[in-house]
Amino acid sequence: MKLLSDSFCADGMIPIEFSCEGKGISPSLHWEDVSIETRSFALIVDDPDAPNRTFVHWVLFDLPPQTRNLPEGIPTEPLLKGGGIQGKNDTGQLGYTPPCPPSGTHRYFFKLYALDAPLGLDFGITKAELEAAMANHILATAQLIGRYQKQR
């Protein structure tokens, strides 16, 4: 499985519009080479370069198996139109929270999981709760890394 973005290149800089210094919207993502056994997708975005711990920017799960992309600017609502449930990021909010590193250049890991079943969990779960629920259901994974450093 491959995870790509029209918003930034793999290992490239994430444009300012997707950061706390811009509009703070989620970037577009799309994926290909998906297993036919896939019954749902989950997405975790985190920053391992954050001070003290890995900072979670986005938790999204139960995306339908026919989904192959997420457009820019996914709303921060609990349930997405067309399917998908938002978890809680480390700001305590639902949905995507933009890169806003306190100093230096940070890496943002976009991790997509193809699962053999929908998880059926409620909105607002954490990354740890999602990882525990997915543990025995992962068919494939794909990763895309973007980088960001504050401009101001």
Side-chain angles (χ1 to χ4, degrees), residues 21-69:
E21 297 179 286
K23 295 178 186 175
I25 61 173
S26 60
S28 71
L29 298 170
H30 58 96
W31 48 96
E32 53 194 43
D33 300 332
V34 174
S35 167
I36 60 170
E37 290 95 32
T38 300
R39 298 295 173 258
S40 73
F41 293 99
L43 177 74
I44 295 172
V45 179
D46 56 26
D47 169 8
D49 302 320
N52 305 319
R53 64 184 168 94
T54 297
F55 189 91
V56 178
H57 285 263
W58 201 2
V59 175
L60 179 59
F61 61 98
D62 280 0
L63 288 164
Q66 68 275 12
T67 306
R68 294 295 181 274
N69 70 346

Side-chain angles (χ1 to χ4, degrees), residues 16 72 83 85 93-95 112-114 119 131 150:
I16 197 168
E72 289 182 1
I85 302 171
Q93 305 298 309
L94 295 178
L112 182 71
Y113 302 85
L119 299 174
E131 287 176 333
K150 279 189 181 175

Side-chain angles (χ1 to χ4, degrees), residues 108-136:
Y108 298 86
F109 287 72
F110 291 73
K111 297 174 276 192
L112 182 71
Y113 302 85
L115 307 175
D116 65 4
L119 299 174
L121 303 169
D122 206 1
F123 70 88
I125 65 167
T126 65
K127 172 187 168 182
E129 291 168 325
L130 177 58
E131 287 176 333
M134 293 191 304
N136 297 316

Side-chain angles (χ1 to χ4, degrees), residues 1-14 27-31 43-48 58 70 107-113 141-147:
M1 190 166 66
K2 293 180 195 166
L3 179 60
L4 307 158
S5 177
D6 292 330
S7 302
F8 64 94
C9 297
D11 294 318
M13 296 302 285
I14 297 171
S28 71
L29 298 170
H30 58 96
W31 48 96
L43 177 74
I44 295 172
V45 179
D46 56 26
D47 169 8
W58 201 2
L70 292 171
R107 297 167 298 153
Y108 298 86
F109 287 72
F110 291 73
K111 297 174 276 192
L112 182 71
Y113 302 85
T141 62
Q143 181 173 275
L144 175 66
I145 299 172
R147 301 172 192 280

